PDB file of all heavy atoms in Angstrom:
ATOM      1  N   VAL U 397     -54.541  -8.936  -8.415  1.00 91.00           N
ATOM      2  CA  VAL U 397     -54.502  -8.944  -6.944  1.00 91.00           C
ATOM      3  C   VAL U 397     -55.928  -8.986  -6.419  1.00 91.00           C
ATOM      4  O   VAL U 397     -56.716  -8.068  -6.682  1.00 91.00           O
ATOM      5  CB  VAL U 397     -53.772  -7.699  -6.402  1.00 91.00           C
ATOM      6  CG1 VAL U 397     -53.822  -7.670  -4.874  1.00 91.00           C
ATOM      7  CG2 VAL U 397     -52.325  -7.681  -6.886  1.00 91.00           C
ATOM      8  N   THR U 398     -56.261 -10.034  -5.680  1.00 89.00           N
ATOM      9  CA  THR U 398     -57.626 -10.204  -5.165  1.00 89.00           C
ATOM     10  C   THR U 398     -57.720  -9.922  -3.662  1.00 89.00           C
ATOM     11  O   THR U 398     -58.804  -9.980  -3.099  1.00 89.00           O
ATOM     12  CB  THR U 398     -58.121 -11.635  -5.437  1.00 89.00           C
ATOM     13  OG1 THR U 398     -57.219 -12.577  -4.822  1.00 89.00           O
ATOM     14  CG2 THR U 398     -58.174 -11.908  -6.939  1.00 89.00           C
ATOM     15  N   VAL U 399     -56.588  -9.663  -3.034  1.00 88.00           N
ATOM     16  CA  VAL U 399     -56.579  -9.356  -1.597  1.00 88.00           C
ATOM     17  C   VAL U 399     -56.657  -7.842  -1.434  1.00 88.00           C
ATOM     18  O   VAL U 399     -55.691  -7.123  -1.726  1.00 88.00           O
ATOM     19  CB  VAL U 399     -55.300  -9.899  -0.929  1.00 88.00           C
ATOM     20  CG1 VAL U 399     -55.305  -9.587   0.569  1.00 88.00           C
ATOM     21  CG2 VAL U 399     -55.161 -11.399  -1.170  1.00 88.00           C
ATOM     22  N   PRO U 400     -57.789  -7.320  -0.987  1.00 86.00           N
ATOM     23  CA  PRO U 400     -57.988  -5.865  -0.965  1.00 86.00           C
ATOM     24  C   PRO U 400     -57.075  -5.126   0.009  1.00 86.00           C
ATOM     25  O   PRO U 400     -56.742  -3.965  -0.205  1.00 86.00           O
ATOM     26  CB  PRO U 400     -59.456  -5.708  -0.559  1.00 86.00           C
ATOM     27  CG  PRO U 400     -59.783  -6.966   0.177  1.00 86.00           C
ATOM     28  CD  PRO U 400     -58.973  -8.038  -0.469  1.00 86.00           C
ATOM     29  N   GLY U 401     -56.665  -5.769   1.083  1.00 88.00           N
ATOM     30  CA  GLY U 401     -55.871  -5.087   2.100  1.00 88.00           C
ATOM     31  C   GLY U 401     -54.570  -4.512   1.569  1.00 88.00           C
ATOM     32  O   GLY U 401     -54.170  -3.401   1.933  1.00 88.00           O
ATOM     33  N   LEU U 402     -53.900  -5.238   0.686  1.00 90.00           N
ATOM     34  CA  LEU U 402     -52.631  -4.783   0.125  1.00 90.00           C
ATOM     35  C   LEU U 402     -52.808  -3.504  -0.684  1.00 90.00           C
ATOM     36  O   LEU U 402     -52.080  -2.520  -0.499  1.00 90.00           O
ATOM     37  CB  LEU U 402     -52.028  -5.881  -0.760  1.00 90.00           C
ATOM     38  CG  LEU U 402     -50.704  -5.530  -1.443  1.00 90.00           C
ATOM     39  CD1 LEU U 402     -49.570  -5.555  -0.432  1.00 90.00           C
ATOM     40  CD2 LEU U 402     -50.409  -6.502  -2.583  1.00 90.00           C
ATOM     41  N   VAL U 403     -53.814  -3.519  -1.565  1.00 90.00           N
ATOM     42  CA  VAL U 403     -54.067  -2.352  -2.417  1.00 90.00           C
ATOM     43  C   VAL U 403     -54.561  -1.177  -1.591  1.00 90.00           C
ATOM     44  O   VAL U 403     -54.157  -0.029  -1.818  1.00 90.00           O
ATOM     45  CB  VAL U 403     -55.086  -2.706  -3.517  1.00 90.00           C
ATOM     46  CG1 VAL U 403     -55.401  -1.484  -4.368  1.00 90.00           C
ATOM     47  CG2 VAL U 403     -54.556  -3.837  -4.389  1.00 90.00           C
ATOM     48  N   ASP U 404     -55.405  -1.447  -0.608  1.00 89.00           N
ATOM     49  CA  ASP U 404     -55.938  -0.369   0.229  1.00 89.00           C
ATOM     50  C   ASP U 404     -54.839   0.329   1.012  1.00 89.00           C
ATOM     51  O   ASP U 404     -54.838   1.560   1.144  1.00 89.00           O
ATOM     52  CB  ASP U 404     -56.994  -0.924   1.193  1.00 89.00           C
ATOM     53  CG  ASP U 404     -58.245  -1.401   0.469  1.00 89.00           C
ATOM     54  OD1 ASP U 404     -58.435  -0.985  -0.692  1.00 89.00           O
ATOM     55  OD2 ASP U 404     -59.010  -2.185   1.063  1.00 89.00           O
ATOM     56  N   PHE U 405     -53.883  -0.460   1.520  1.00 91.00           N
ATOM     57  CA  PHE U 405     -52.826   0.124   2.341  1.00 91.00           C
ATOM     58  C   PHE U 405     -51.827   0.903   1.493  1.00 91.00           C
ATOM     59  O   PHE U 405     -51.603   2.095   1.715  1.00 91.00           O
ATOM     60  CB  PHE U 405     -52.096  -0.967   3.126  1.00 91.00           C
ATOM     61  CG  PHE U 405     -50.993  -0.436   4.015  1.00 91.00           C
ATOM     62  CD1 PHE U 405     -51.290   0.080   5.267  1.00 91.00           C
ATOM     63  CD2 PHE U 405     -49.675  -0.441   3.590  1.00 91.00           C
ATOM     64  CE1 PHE U 405     -50.285   0.592   6.084  1.00 91.00           C
ATOM     65  CE2 PHE U 405     -48.658   0.065   4.393  1.00 91.00           C
ATOM     66  CZ  PHE U 405     -48.959   0.580   5.654  1.00 91.00           C
ATOM     67  N   PHE U 406     -51.220   0.247   0.498  1.00 91.00           N
ATOM     68  CA  PHE U 406     -50.174   0.889  -0.291  1.00 91.00           C
ATOM     69  C   PHE U 406     -50.733   1.860  -1.335  1.00 91.00           C
ATOM     70  O   PHE U 406     -49.996   2.706  -1.850  1.00 91.00           O
ATOM     71  CB  PHE U 406     -49.302  -0.162  -0.987  1.00 91.00           C
ATOM     72  CG  PHE U 406     -48.389  -0.892  -0.053  1.00 91.00           C
ATOM     73  CD1 PHE U 406     -48.740  -2.140   0.439  1.00 91.00           C
ATOM     74  CD2 PHE U 406     -47.188  -0.328   0.354  1.00 91.00           C
ATOM     75  CE1 PHE U 406     -47.900  -2.821   1.308  1.00 91.00           C
ATOM     76  CE2 PHE U 406     -46.349  -0.989   1.228  1.00 91.00           C
ATOM     77  CZ  PHE U 406     -46.709  -2.247   1.706  1.00 91.00           C
ATOM     78  N   GLY U 407     -52.019   1.738  -1.630  1.00 86.00           N
ATOM     79  CA  GLY U 407     -52.628   2.660  -2.570  1.00 86.00           C
ATOM     80  C   GLY U 407     -53.285   3.854  -1.910  1.00 86.00           C
ATOM     81  O   GLY U 407     -53.850   4.716  -2.587  1.00 86.00           O
ATOM     82  N   GLY U 408     -53.189   3.920  -0.584  1.00 87.00           N
ATOM     83  CA  GLY U 408     -53.826   5.003   0.152  1.00 87.00           C
ATOM     84  C   GLY U 408     -52.950   6.238   0.266  1.00 87.00           C
ATOM     85  O   GLY U 408     -51.901   6.359  -0.370  1.00 87.00           O
ATOM     86  N   ARG U 409     -53.401   7.169   1.101  1.00 89.00           N
ATOM     87  CA  ARG U 409     -52.684   8.428   1.318  1.00 89.00           C
ATOM     88  C   ARG U 409     -52.609   8.713   2.811  1.00 89.00           C
ATOM     89  O   ARG U 409     -53.498   8.322   3.577  1.00 89.00           O
ATOM     90  CB  ARG U 409     -53.393   9.600   0.621  1.00 89.00           C
ATOM     91  CG  ARG U 409     -53.322   9.566  -0.903  1.00 89.00           C
ATOM     92  CD  ARG U 409     -54.201  10.639  -1.509  1.00 89.00           C
ATOM     93  NE  ARG U 409     -54.097  10.661  -2.974  1.00 89.00           N
ATOM     94  CZ  ARG U 409     -53.455  11.589  -3.676  1.00 89.00           C
ATOM     95  NH1 ARG U 409     -52.856  12.590  -3.049  1.00 89.00           N
ATOM     96  NH2 ARG U 409     -53.406  11.540  -4.988  1.00 89.00           N
ATOM     97  N   VAL U 410     -51.580   9.414   3.204  1.00 89.00           N
ATOM     98  CA  VAL U 410     -51.421   9.888   4.577  1.00 89.00           C
ATOM     99  C   VAL U 410     -51.227  11.400   4.521  1.00 89.00           C
ATOM    100  O   VAL U 410     -50.242  11.881   3.950  1.00 89.00           O
ATOM    101  CB  VAL U 410     -50.216   9.224   5.271  1.00 89.00           C
ATOM    102  CG1 VAL U 410     -50.029   9.807   6.673  1.00 89.00           C
ATOM    103  CG2 VAL U 410     -50.397   7.711   5.337  1.00 89.00           C
ATOM    104  N   LEU U 411     -52.199  12.137   5.058  1.00 87.00           N
ATOM    105  CA  LEU U 411     -52.179  13.600   4.998  1.00 87.00           C
ATOM    106  C   LEU U 411     -52.051  14.100   3.561  1.00 87.00           C
ATOM    107  O   LEU U 411     -51.373  15.093   3.272  1.00 87.00           O
ATOM    108  CB  LEU U 411     -51.028  14.157   5.849  1.00 87.00           C
ATOM    109  CG  LEU U 411     -51.071  13.805   7.348  1.00 87.00           C
ATOM    110  CD1 LEU U 411     -49.844  14.344   8.058  1.00 87.00           C
ATOM    111  CD2 LEU U 411     -52.349  14.323   7.982  1.00 87.00           C
ATOM    112  N   GLY U 412     -52.703  13.395   2.647  1.00 86.00           N
ATOM    113  CA  GLY U 412     -52.703  13.794   1.249  1.00 86.00           C
ATOM    114  C   GLY U 412     -51.520  13.293   0.436  1.00 86.00           C
ATOM    115  O   GLY U 412     -51.489  13.460  -0.792  1.00 86.00           O
ATOM    116  N   VAL U 413     -50.556  12.682   1.088  1.00 89.00           N
ATOM    117  CA  VAL U 413     -49.370  12.175   0.393  1.00 89.00           C
ATOM    118  C   VAL U 413     -49.542  10.676   0.135  1.00 89.00           C
ATOM    119  O   VAL U 413     -49.831   9.919   1.075  1.00 89.00           O
ATOM    120  CB  VAL U 413     -48.093  12.413   1.220  1.00 89.00           C
ATOM    121  CG1 VAL U 413     -46.863  11.891   0.477  1.00 89.00           C
ATOM    122  CG2 VAL U 413     -47.944  13.888   1.543  1.00 89.00           C
ATOM    123  N   PRO U 414     -49.358  10.216  -1.109  1.00 91.00           N
ATOM    124  CA  PRO U 414     -49.496   8.791  -1.399  1.00 91.00           C
ATOM    125  C   PRO U 414     -48.530   7.945  -0.572  1.00 91.00           C
ATOM    126  O   PRO U 414     -47.379   8.337  -0.347  1.00 91.00           O
ATOM    127  CB  PRO U 414     -49.162   8.700  -2.896  1.00 91.00           C
ATOM    128  CG  PRO U 414     -49.455  10.061  -3.431  1.00 91.00           C
ATOM    129  CD  PRO U 414     -49.107  11.007  -2.330  1.00 91.00           C
ATOM    130  N   VAL U 415     -49.007   6.800  -0.107  1.00 93.00           N
ATOM    131  CA  VAL U 415     -48.168   5.901   0.688  1.00 93.00           C
ATOM    132  C   VAL U 415     -46.935   5.465  -0.107  1.00 93.00           C
ATOM    133  O   VAL U 415     -45.852   5.294   0.459  1.00 93.00           O
ATOM    134  CB  VAL U 415     -48.986   4.674   1.142  1.00 93.00           C
ATOM    135  CG1 VAL U 415     -48.081   3.627   1.800  1.00 93.00           C
ATOM    136  CG2 VAL U 415     -50.078   5.091   2.112  1.00 93.00           C
ATOM    137  N   LEU U 416     -47.081   5.291  -1.420  1.00 94.00           N
ATOM    138  CA  LEU U 416     -45.940   4.895  -2.245  1.00 94.00           C
ATOM    139  C   LEU U 416     -44.811   5.924  -2.159  1.00 94.00           C
ATOM    140  O   LEU U 416     -43.633   5.572  -2.101  1.00 94.00           O
ATOM    141  CB  LEU U 416     -46.376   4.733  -3.710  1.00 94.00           C
ATOM    142  CG  LEU U 416     -47.366   3.613  -4.026  1.00 94.00           C
ATOM    143  CD1 LEU U 416     -47.631   3.567  -5.525  1.00 94.00           C
ATOM    144  CD2 LEU U 416     -46.840   2.271  -3.540  1.00 94.00           C
ATOM    145  N   VAL U 417     -45.171   7.189  -2.148  1.00 94.00           N
ATOM    146  CA  VAL U 417     -44.166   8.257  -2.034  1.00 94.00           C
ATOM    147  C   VAL U 417     -43.512   8.223  -0.660  1.00 94.00           C
ATOM    148  O   VAL U 417     -42.295   8.417  -0.527  1.00 94.00           O
ATOM    149  CB  VAL U 417     -44.811   9.629  -2.290  1.00 94.00           C
ATOM    150  CG1 VAL U 417     -43.790  10.748  -2.107  1.00 94.00           C
ATOM    151  CG2 VAL U 417     -45.405   9.681  -3.700  1.00 94.00           C
ATOM    152  N   ILE U 418     -44.302   7.950   0.369  1.00 95.00           N
ATOM    153  CA  ILE U 418     -43.754   7.858   1.721  1.00 95.00           C
ATOM    154  C   ILE U 418     -42.775   6.694   1.829  1.00 95.00           C
ATOM    155  O   ILE U 418     -41.704   6.811   2.445  1.00 95.00           O
ATOM    156  CB  ILE U 418     -44.896   7.705   2.748  1.00 95.00           C
ATOM    157  CG1 ILE U 418     -45.764   8.971   2.758  1.00 95.00           C
ATOM    158  CG2 ILE U 418     -44.344   7.427   4.139  1.00 95.00           C
ATOM    159  CD1 ILE U 418     -46.988   8.868   3.641  1.00 95.00           C
ATOM    160  N   VAL U 419     -43.131   5.563   1.221  1.00 95.00           N
ATOM    161  CA  VAL U 419     -42.233   4.399   1.231  1.00 95.00           C
ATOM    162  C   VAL U 419     -40.907   4.744   0.549  1.00 95.00           C
ATOM    163  O   VAL U 419     -39.822   4.418   1.057  1.00 95.00           O
ATOM    164  CB  VAL U 419     -42.891   3.198   0.533  1.00 95.00           C
ATOM    165  CG1 VAL U 419     -41.886   2.057   0.359  1.00 95.00           C
ATOM    166  CG2 VAL U 419     -44.093   2.704   1.328  1.00 95.00           C
TER     167      VAL U 419
END
Side-chain angles (χ1 to χ4, degrees):
V397 176
T398 58
V399 181
L402 179 74
V403 178
D404 293 341
F405 181 82
F406 287 98
R409 290 172 177 254
V410 177
L411 300 177
V413 181
V415 172
L416 295 182
V417 177
I418 295 175
V419 172

